[in-house]
């Protein structure tokens, strides 16, 4: 096998080891815990509950996602930049998950998804999406499909799947992709950085 | 046939089966919408159905038109009684939904002579049926059937009352009669009991 130069000895298209478990939180309707290498994410799903009056009447349900970093999560998102990163990730999480939930079967209701990154080890958004999808399924909500996600970064012209924190920091560009495997539909494609021919 | 499935798993062909509960139809196939056991069933019209039943303890309960709900009255006004939906069918909701019983939906006869204060009081537990999704604030409920109405109420003395006919309840301690729209809970096969209008 060609020398890829990855610090942990993985191939360019090799994932880190995954651990996932659902149904851990007592109060949440559905929950999941995901470990992707060093990245640790916990998600709790609540609802469906009645929509707020100010959101108006809606024939289909709504998904409200929130991502938070624990104070001890570490990583490149320092305390000052955390809230901006959290807001962007919350919007991306909603975009990735909403098409996978059969929301028209839940009129006038809201489903809350709360994701917390316990430790940043690279690929936090992809981990949040995958874990949240499992949490939605464990909550018994009707889904079109599960929505797993992954991240690819470009470091010195090389494409690396499932980057660690160090690899993500060195990256010129990154793509996070979330898709529904049964029908091959992409729900989120977030491209950042420099991607040139 | 009873197999464990996940959302997005294709469980049958739309040519042979119809989509039952917990499934959806797409591209000529029947797919599972939740995690659970996929089962072959026959609907009342004789069609072959595929349904997925989730474990009992994670069933979501949201009010749907036609569902019988158990509510607690919070406010009684001139033209409507506001209430909180606590149970849908036989499943308790995780967070209460707001419902409203309008003047014209209390009884099926003599609806112009209804005095709401003589039908419900705040704190009463009422069995009602969901009429419609209503507006952004509350679901519209009705008690215009014999078996719908007050099932449990406390008198002004704070003692649970006993039903006396369909229009009143009596406090066992003070013997005072209080007017309520009582739900008829007749045993099955009892033709001698007079039906409430």
């Amino acid at each position: 096998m060609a020398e890829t130069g990855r610090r942990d000895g993985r191939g360019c298209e090799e994932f880190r080891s995954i651990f996932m478990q659902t149904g851990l939180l007592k109060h949440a309707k559905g929950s999941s815990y995901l470990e992707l290498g060093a990245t640790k994410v916990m998600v709790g799903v609540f609802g469906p509950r009645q929509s707020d009056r100010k959101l108006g009447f809606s024939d289909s349900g709504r998904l409200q996602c929130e991502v938070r970093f624990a104070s001890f999560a570490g990583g490149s998102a320092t305390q000052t930049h955390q809230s901006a990163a959290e807001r962007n990730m919350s919007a991306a999480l909603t975009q990735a998950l909403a098409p996978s939930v059969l929301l028209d079967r839940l009129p006038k209701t809201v489903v809350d998804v709360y994701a917390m990154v316990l430790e940043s080890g690279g690929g936090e958004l992809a981990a949040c999406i995958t874990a949240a999808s499992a949490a939605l399924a464990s909550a018994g909500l009707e889904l079109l499909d599960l929505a797993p996600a992954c991240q690819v970064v470009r470091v010195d012209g090389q494409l690396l799947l499932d980057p660690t924190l160090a690899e993500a920091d060195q990256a010129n560009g990154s793509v996070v992709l979330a898709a529904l495997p049964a029908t091959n539909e992409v729900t989120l494609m977030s491209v950042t950085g420099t991607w040139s021919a | 046939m009873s197999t464990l499935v996940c959302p997005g798993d294709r469980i049958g062909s739309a040519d042979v089966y119809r989509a039952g509960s917990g499934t959806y139809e797409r591209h000529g196939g029947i797919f599972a919408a939740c995690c659970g056991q996929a089962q072959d069933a026959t609907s009342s019209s004789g069609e072959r159905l595929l349904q997925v039943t989730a474990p009992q303890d994670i069933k979501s309960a949201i009010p749907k038109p036609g569902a019988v709900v158990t509510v607690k009255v919070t406010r009684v006004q001139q033209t409507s009684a506001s209430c909180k939906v606590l149970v849908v069918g036989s499943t308790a909701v995780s967070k209460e939904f707001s419902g409203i019983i309008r003047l014209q939906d209390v009884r099926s006869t003599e609806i112009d002579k209804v005095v709401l204060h003589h039908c419900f009081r705040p704190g009463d537990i009422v069995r009602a049926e969901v009429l419609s999704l209503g507006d952004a604030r509350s679901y519209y409920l009705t008690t215009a059937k014999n078996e719908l109405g007050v099932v449990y109420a406390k008198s002004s003395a704070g003692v649970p009352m006993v039903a006396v006919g369909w229009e009143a309840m009596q406090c066992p301690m003070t013997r005072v009669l209080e007017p309520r729209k009582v739900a008829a809970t007749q045993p099955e096969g009892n033709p001698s009991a007079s039906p409430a209008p």
Side-chain angles (χ1 to χ4, degrees):
Chain A
M1 189 166 69
E3 185 60 62
T4 56
R6 281 185 103 166
R7 188 76 71 87
D8 48 12
R10 280 188 288 152
C12 287
E13 292 179 17
E14 204 180 315
F15 272 102
R16 290 170 289 178
S17 50
I18 288 185
F19 171 78
M20 191 149 85
Q21 190 168 331
T22 56
L24 311 135
L25 299 175
K26 194 173 74 172
H27 298 292
K29 190 82 186 296
S31 56
S32 73
Y33 173 70
L34 177 82
E35 272 184 29
L36 185 60
T39 304
K40 297 173 177 61
V41 168
M42 178 91 96
V43 181
V45 170
F46 293 82
R49 62 170 171 88
Q50 185 159 1
S51 255
D52 293 326
R53 193 181 310 183
K54 58 179 191 247
L55 294 174
F57 180 85
S58 170
D59 262 331
S60 69
R62 275 180 268 251
L63 204 65
Q64 204 152 296
C65 302
E66 198 181 271
V67 177
R68 282 259 199 280
F69 282 83
S71 328
F72 46 80
S76 49
T78 61
Q79 290 291 81
T80 48
H81 294 138
Q82 237 184 42
S83 51
E86 285 174 354
R87 274 197 301 274
N88 290 335
M89 281 178 73
S90 305
L93 185 61
T94 317
Q95 192 183 331
L97 294 175
S100 74
V101 186
L102 286 165
L103 291 170
D104 46 359
R105 294 193 186 184
L106 305 167
K108 235 172 80 149
T109 59
V110 169
V111 174
D112 295 305
V113 177
Y114 298 114
M116 172 153 266
V117 178
L118 299 169
E119 189 177 317
S120 293
E124 293 86 24
L125 178 58
C128 282
I129 297 169
T130 311
S133 193
L136 284 170
S138 99
L141 291 167
E142 290 188 306
L143 309 173
L144 210 57
D145 201 347
L146 294 169
C150 66
Q151 185 175 14
V152 170
V153 294
R154 185 165 172 265
V155 178
D156 297 331
Q158 226 185 4
L159 292 176
L160 303 175
L161 181 64
D162 189 25
T164 58
L165 197 59
E167 289 167 347
D169 279 343
Q170 290 180 305
N172 307 115
S174 131
V175 176
V176 175
L177 187 85
L180 308 181
T183 46
N184 260 337
E185 291 171 278
V186 171
T187 56
L188 174 82
M189 190 163 100
S190 177
V191 183
T192 55
T194 328
W195 291 90
S196 58
Chain B
M1 179 251 289
S2 182
T3 46
L4 206 59
V5 291
C6 275
D9 286 348
R10 190 178 191 282
I11 49 180
S13 160
D15 299 328
V16 181
Y17 298 100
R18 249 183 10 99
S21 69
T23 66
Y24 66 93
E25 192 184 309
R26 224 188 195 199
H27 305 315
I30 311 285
F31 293 80
C34 51
C35 294
Q37 299 280 346
Q39 285 154 346
D40 217 324
T42 327
S43 74
S44 46
S45 45
E47 293 170 308
R48 289 186 73 186
L49 277 183
L50 266 182
Q51 62 189 31
V52 175
T53 37
Q56 202 62 18
D57 52 347
I58 57 168
K59 229 167 56 164
S60 314
I62 66 166
K64 294 233 160 90
V68 173
V69 295
T70 309
V71 308
K72 184 169 195 159
V73 178
T74 50
R75 195 148 61 135
V76 177
Q77 290 164 307
Q78 200 76 340
T79 52
S80 61
S82 312
C83 44
K84 289 257 178 263
V85 178
L86 303 172
V87 181
V88 177
S90 49
T91 322
V93 292
S94 32
K95 194 146 187 262
E96 306 117 24
F97 291 86
S98 343
I100 197 166
I101 306 171
R102 296 170 301 175
L103 196 67
Q104 65 265 36
D105 299 323
V106 175
R107 291 207 302 240
S108 45
T109 55
E110 293 190 328
I111 55 177
D112 47 335
K113 299 217 184 82
V114 173
V115 178
L116 225 39
H117 194 61
H118 292 169
C119 301
F120 308 115
R121 296 276 167 89
D124 289 356
I125 307 290
V126 173
R127 187 182 304 131
E129 193 181 288
V130 180
L131 260 184
S132 74
L133 295 173
D135 54 28
R137 277 175 297 185
S138 22
Y139 288 85
Y140 289 165
L141 308 173
T142 178
T143 52
K145 276 187 190 172
N146 289 2
E147 64 271 17
L148 303 174
V150 177
V151 290
Y152 177 89
K154 285 194 176 168
S155 70
S156 353
V159 180
M161 295 194 284
V162 176
V164 179
W166 65 276
E167 251 191 326
M169 292 183 103
Q170 185 175 42
C171 171
M173 199 171 79
T174 61
R175 295 272 182 265
V176 170
L177 278 174
E178 289 190 26
R180 294 289 200 283
K181 199 270 175 186
V182 186
T185 49
Q186 306 154 324
E188 266 166 47
N190 186 3
S192 60
S194 52

